[in-house]
Amino acid sequence: MKRSGASIVIEALCRNGVDTVFGYPGGAVLPIYDELYKNAHRIHHVLCAHEQNAAHAADGYARVTGRPGTVIATSGPGATNLVTGIANAYLDSVPLVAITGNVAVPLLGRDSFQEVDITSITRGIVKHNFSVGDVRELSGILDAAFRIALSGRPGPVLVDIPKSVQNDLCSEDEYTEQRLFSAPLPEPDLEEACRLIADSKRPLIYSGGGVVAAGASAELRALAKQIGAPVMFSMMGLTALPADEPLNLGMCGMHGTRSSAELFSECDLLIALGVRFSDRAAGNTVQYKEGKKIIHVDIDHAEINKNVTADVEVQGDVRKVLELLLQKLPRITRPEWEQRCAEAKKLDIHPREERLTPFSLLKTVAGYCTPDTVIATDVGQHQMWTMQYFPFQKNRTLLTSGGLGTMGFGMGAAIGGCIASGRKRTVLFTGDGSFGMSLQELATAVSQNLPLLIVIFNNGVLGMVRQWQTMFYEKHFSHTTLNRKTDFAALAKAFGAQGKKITSLAQLERALYAPAPDVPTVLDCQLDMDEFVLPMIPPGGSVKDLITRKG
Amino acid sequence: MESFTIELTVSNSCGVLNRITGIYAKGKHNIDALTVRPCSDPALSVMQIVSRGDETVQRMMVRQLRKLFDVKTAVLANDTTL
Ligand SMILES: Cc1ncc(C[n+]2csc(CCOP(=O)(O)OP(=O)(O)O)c2C)c(N)n1
Ligand SMILES: [Mg+2]
């Protein structure tokens, strides 16, 4: 039996376990959309309002499920609208398969209507991409795309399919295999790492997104306990231990906890697990190594010795490496160091606040969530406060744009995350600026009946930029005061959602505990424009430069 | 700065050179010389790329090139002339 390329796409999606796709139709994907129409019982297609947000939705879906998210867009503007979403997934190592249509093969390279060379455009922001030249390759390419997206260090893969290939017919015995090269992981040699850990007096674990991706929370906790080492996290790794765990120091880096900054400066061994020492997490990488040794474990060989030089490099799956370390290492107690950890953690205690502030807002909303509630954020001060104050309990409950820092990520991510969680109540913490970049997706959330709780930190400003202008640019508030007159509650209603303006904590509590309708709810929370995210280590600084107070 | 040559066996298909030069371009490493020639296996080509950089850069480039799915092998050649 011969199938069309479009039908091969559907078969490949189903074979690779895809039951939900996000997307937006157009001329160059009409054959695929026709097959989606016929296969609606097998694949649920979520129509978003903009392809960028469809990509973020697929990204959010992948972060919650651990399986590749899938997004479909048409050629030209549909494809270019995906670019930010693909870059976002790339920088956060999220498995994503993006399928774009393109003009028919004979029209390629002629600047045809809605033709762009999307494989060239995305080359620097994908793990791999394919431009399908022949329908016989299509099935093998799609299988390879899903395999690549998920294997090793996950990431996005784009498959560009000309419309003629979608229409061409081909039978299974004509399918060709893709020839791709990838080196197998070496057997990790842990002798030197074990020796350093045994010799260390003050070991500190720096854990990242790799530990979340590997689902290695249990192994991480076991190692921390076995060797008496506190754990600090990059933003991407934050959820790997429950917030209230005694050895958990919270997030490190520019807006990390004081305890993490202090213990980092005091430790004599840093055990880096699935991290990449990004400038936001590591700060000054020149002074970084002073007084300490570094063991760097990562599945991606190119990450090791990239930003900081490791004394011991271990390439491998972090979960497997942790299992081996647990077998090889004895139980080591370091009562003094653990005591120091407990003491340092007291520095992170935040006093109660009775007014509506970022802190009291987050604590109040947290009280209404369960350990499984999926939390999405946008980018800015509200994002950092969420990292600092929200007591995350489990992996795959935090959807935040780490590497790219994409304002507008939140709405798409919350939609994808909510669907992935089985349409459970999902919370988005957003800013008035960020929400303005993707609020049209309220339409999607309404048509999909998603119970999103959208909490806007409405400070009237691009707060994070304003904070930098306050600290480093003599309060020259160049284009960061929004001066908008948007009524977010009315806006929500116009989209068919619920909305409320919140000016006090009591009001917030009432809104949260009122019976939840099965429609998205927007809470427009009024906050002071001059709140700061603190502590802060200025760019290129170290613990000595830590700022803990405003002014 | 030290000149270094990387030798690669890559898939002989469209867009591969673009992917490889992209790795150099993103870190702002100029390519001083480049050759591509066919290989006994028609599905593969052999490349030599000369660029400049210290040991950290050299190691980083090799490791990043090895990550590409159409790069079969990438090794640092001691010989810095083509
Ligand atoms: C797409 C995009 N454009 C610009 C920026 C730069 N930027 C980072 S934070 C920020 C302000 C965000 O404002 P808002 O969403 O209101 O959050 P707040 O900081 O006020 O909590 C800006 C403009 C960005 N991260 N992403
Ligand atoms: Mg704001």
Side-chain angles (χ1 to χ4, degrees):
Chain A
M1 185 189 108
K2 284 194 187 284
R3 280 185 187 286
S4 69
S7 165
I8 290 173
V9 171
I10 303 298
E11 294 307 314
L13 292 179
C14 293
R15 189 166 61 244
N16 285 283
V18 175
D19 55 17
T20 306
V21 300
F22 302 86
Y24 210 99
V29 282
L30 273 166
I32 295 177
Y33 272 78
D34 195 50
E35 287 298 326
L36 283 169
Y37 179 87
K38 295 181 212 156
N39 288 279
H41 57 291
R42 298 161 80 194
I43 296 180
H44 173 60
H45 176 279
V46 180
L47 176 65
C48 293
H50 188 291
E51 290 89 348
Q52 180 185 333
N53 303 319
H56 292 324
D59 174 323
Y61 185 89
R63 289 184 205 234
V64 170
T65 59
R67 287 183 283 125
T70 310
V71 60
I72 303 177
T74 192
S75 66
T80 54
N81 273 350
L82 290 181
V83 169
T84 302
I86 294 171
N88 191 79
Y90 183 68
L91 281 155
D92 285 347
S93 306
V94 175
L96 181 80
V97 174
I99 296 173
T100 50
N102 210 333
V103 300
V105 170
L107 294 175
L108 284 171
R110 296 167 194 275
D111 301 325
S112 310
F113 178 62
Q114 298 196 325
E115 181 195 359
V116 296
D117 184 3
I118 195 65
T119 45
S120 290
I121 291 172
T122 55
R123 207 152 267 156
I125 50 167
V126 291
K127 247 183 111 174
H128 194 63
N129 59 20
F130 300 90
S131 163
V132 187
D134 187 315
V135 69
R136 288 171 295 185
E137 300 175 338
L138 184 57
S139 181
I141 284 180
L142 286 164
D143 284 346
F146 280 94
R147 205 166 54 237
I148 291 173
L150 206 54
S151 67
R153 177 181 182 176
V157 180
L158 178 130
V159 183
D160 191 38
I161 314 173
K163 193 173 180 179
S164 54
V165 173
Q166 297 171 38
N167 287 324
D168 286 343
L169 299 175
C170 156
S171 60
E172 219 165 295
D173 51 323
E174 295 174 275
Y175 290 1
T176 56
E177 281 276 312
Q178 279 303 298
R179 189 170 174 194
L180 296 161
F181 306 110
S182 58
L185 284 177
E187 266 310 302
D189 176 2
L190 294 170
E191 212 169 297
E192 187 61 10
C194 288
R195 198 182 59 75
L196 284 188
I197 292 171
D199 287 353
S200 160
K201 295 203 163 48
R202 298 177 304 280
L204 172 65
I205 297 173
Y206 164 31
S207 178
V211 174
V212 176
S217 282
E219 292 78 5
L220 173 70
R221 179 194 282 114
L223 181 77
K225 287 198 170 147
Q226 185 158 328
I227 65 170
V231 189
M232 65 177 194
F233 294 96
S234 68
M235 187 163 81
M236 294 305 298
L238 194 58
T239 53
L241 290 181
D244 41 16
E245 192 95 354
L247 287 168
N248 184 346
L249 303 177
M251 184 172 74
C252 66
M254 183 172 280
H255 290 300
T257 57
R258 266 184 81 168
S259 62
S260 73
E262 297 210 350
L263 293 198
F264 173 74
S265 72
E266 293 166 27
C267 75
D268 63 1
L269 175 68
L270 189 71
I271 306 166
L273 306 172
V275 290
R276 59 190 176 88
F277 297 90
S278 111
D279 52 293
R280 283 295 191 271
N284 186 333
T285 49
V286 180
Q287 292 163 20
Y288 200 78
K289 280 202 67 179
E290 270 171 26
K292 59 178 68 58
K293 292 229 168 5
I294 296 179
I295 300 170
H296 191 177
V297 181
D298 205 283
I299 199 160
D300 180 355
H301 204 206
E303 282 304 337
I304 303 175
N305 292 334
K306 184 183 81 175
N307 291 336
V308 303
T309 320
D311 296 277
V312 174
E313 54 174 273
V314 181
Q315 188 197 359
D317 180 284
V318 73
R319 184 165 176 179
K320 189 168 170 209
V321 171
L322 283 171
E323 279 167 4
L324 289 172
L325 282 174
L326 287 168
Q327 285 167 22
K328 288 178 194 284
L329 286 164
R331 167 102 176 90
I332 308 171
T333 51
R334 309 177 206 269
E336 261 176 56
W337 182 230
E338 286 185 43
Q339 180 60 36
R340 174 71 190 105
C341 167
E343 210 174 279
K345 270 179 72 78
K346 290 186 193 140
L347 297 168
D348 302 334
I349 295 170
H350 197 286
R352 263 183 77 93
E353 287 171 356
E354 308 298 334
R355 285 182 313 120
L356 184 65
T357 62
F359 176 79
S360 66
L361 187 166
L362 279 155
K363 290 297 177 197
T364 305
V365 177
Y368 151 94
C369 297
T370 70
D372 293 307
T373 304
V374 172
I375 308 292
T377 82
D378 260 299
V379 170
Q381 289 183 312
H382 63 277
Q383 177 190 28
M384 291 302 117
W385 286 318
T386 305
M387 302 309 131
Q388 294 178 329
Y389 306 139
F390 194 90
F392 291 100
Q393 300 297 315
K394 280 189 178 176
N395 283 339
R396 306 203 173 281
T397 58
L398 167 60
L399 318 179
T400 196
S401 172
L404 195 64
T406 315
M407 285 174 71
F409 169 74
M411 265 312 282
I415 287 169
C418 182
I419 292 173
S421 73
R423 297 171 179 260
K424 290 208 201 70
R425 174 68 80 189
T426 296
V427 179
L428 166 63
F429 293 116
T430 182
D432 42 347
S434 295
F435 190 53
M437 289 205 178
S438 54
L439 57 79
Q440 72 272 44
E441 296 302 333
L442 270 173
T444 312
V446 168
S447 52
Q448 293 287 324
N449 302 312
L450 300 180
L452 301 188
L453 179 72
I454 299 162
V455 182
I456 306 177
F457 285 54
N458 190 349
N459 51 8
V461 291
L462 302 175
M464 184 55 98
V465 184
R466 181 184 172 89
Q467 177 170 342
W468 282 54
Q469 289 171 332
T470 309
M471 296 172 80
F472 310 121
Y473 292 88
E474 300 163 45
K475 297 197 179 175
H476 296 165
F477 297 127
S478 179
H479 303 282
T480 48
T481 313
L482 290 171
N483 193 24
R484 290 177 183 166
K485 304 280 179 279
T486 316
D487 178 343
F488 286 115
L491 178 101
K493 286 173 198 141
F495 274 101
Q498 305 265 333
K500 227 188 183 74
K501 183 168 171 176
I502 304 288
T503 55
S504 71
L505 266 187
Q507 242 177 356
L508 177 64
E509 300 238 3
R510 251 178 290 148
L512 286 173
Y513 293 93
D518 258 3
V519 293
T521 305
V522 173
L523 300 181
D524 176 15
C525 302
Q526 308 295 304
L527 294 168
D528 189 297
M529 66 171 67
D530 279 311
E531 292 273 0
F532 267 20
V533 181
L534 291 171
M536 177 174 186
I537 300 175
S542 63
V543 65
K544 299 189 294 293
D545 314 299
L546 189 87
I547 301 164
T548 53
R549 245 194 310 242
K550 216 156 120 181
Chain B
M1 232 183 304
E2 204 183 321
S3 178
F4 69 98
T5 303
I6 296 177
E7 253 185 47
L8 304 112
T9 321
V10 305
S11 140
N12 177 19
S13 59
C14 132
V16 173
L17 184 60
N18 188 310
R19 251 191 263 281
I20 288 170
T21 57
I23 302 271
Y24 283 83
K26 93 169 172 182
K28 299 281 170 280
H29 304 294
N30 184 53
I31 292 176
D32 294 319
L34 165 76
T35 62
V36 189
R37 61 184 161 81
C39 177
S40 50
D41 179 347
L44 299 175
S45 334
V46 175
M47 276 187 200
Q48 285 187 310
I49 305 178
V50 183
S51 181
R52 276 160 292 157
D54 60 17
E55 206 195 309
T56 315
V57 169
Q58 297 178 18
R59 187 176 43 211
M60 201 157 95
M61 298 311 287
V62 170
R63 288 184 181 184
Q64 291 191 0
L65 288 166
R66 281 182 183 155
K67 276 173 69 173
L68 297 177
F69 290 89
D70 27 37
V71 169
K72 189 170 181 220
T73 58
V75 291
L76 213 54
N78 300 331
D79 189 0
T80 54
T81 55
L82 276 175

